[in-house]
Amino acid sequence: MLVLAISFLVSYIFALLIVRYKHLHAHLTSDSDLTGVQKFHVTAVPRVGGVAIIFGVLLALSARYFQNTDVGTFGLLLVVSSLPAFIFGLAEDLTKKVKVRVRLLATFSSAGLAGYFLNAWLSSVQIFG
């Protein structure tokens, strides 16, 4: 329970800092295109909220590693596996020039790394037909 509280607090604080100081990084991180079909914000907002989440998860898993090495190692390997998807998503948030196909391939790579490092493969999906 303590690990979840740590993760939440760290993510919350990072998110607050990102929003509070957006004037310092808005030229890099804000979504200024407000006219798209799925856009609902009326002002430019930072697109880098994933940074707050990844820091919270990393800190919580680091703390968990000292409580239970097996669980901590599993979690840290899972985070390492997710890095390609995170890095290319962050690059898209910052540059707005990473194509969907590239991000999808990065996500496939993350899934492959998770399967390899954690030996977690789907052998059956139980779909009729």
Side-chain angles (χ1 to χ4, degrees), residues 58-113:
L58 280 174
L59 186 66
L61 287 172
S62 298
R64 185 71 174 144
Y65 182 81
F66 293 108
Q67 292 175 342
N68 185 336
T69 307
D70 292 335
V71 173
T73 301
F74 180 87
L76 291 173
L77 284 173
L78 190 60
V79 169
V80 167
S81 299
S82 72
L83 283 179
F86 174 75
I87 289 168
F88 281 92
L90 182 62
E92 163 59 20
D93 290 343
L94 296 175
T95 66
K96 294 149 189 85
K97 294 180 182 178
V98 180
K99 295 183 179 185
V100 173
R101 180 174 289 155
V102 173
R103 287 181 284 148
L104 184 61
L105 289 173
T107 305
F108 287 158
S109 299
S110 289
L113 287 171

Side-chain angles (χ1 to χ4, degrees), residues 1-22:
M1 188 67 172
L2 178 64
V3 174
L4 291 175
I6 291 170
S7 180
F8 172 76
L9 286 174
V10 170
S11 293
Y12 182 72
I13 290 168
F14 265 92
L16 279 177
L17 292 173
I18 287 171
V19 172
R20 170 64 180 94
Y21 294 106
K22 73 178 183 178

Side-chain angles (χ1 to χ4, degrees), residues 41-64:
H41 293 104
V42 292
T43 62
V45 294
R47 295 173 45 136
V48 291
V51 173
I53 294 169
I54 200 83
F55 275 118
V57 169
L58 280 174
L59 186 66
L61 287 172
S62 298
R64 185 71 174 144

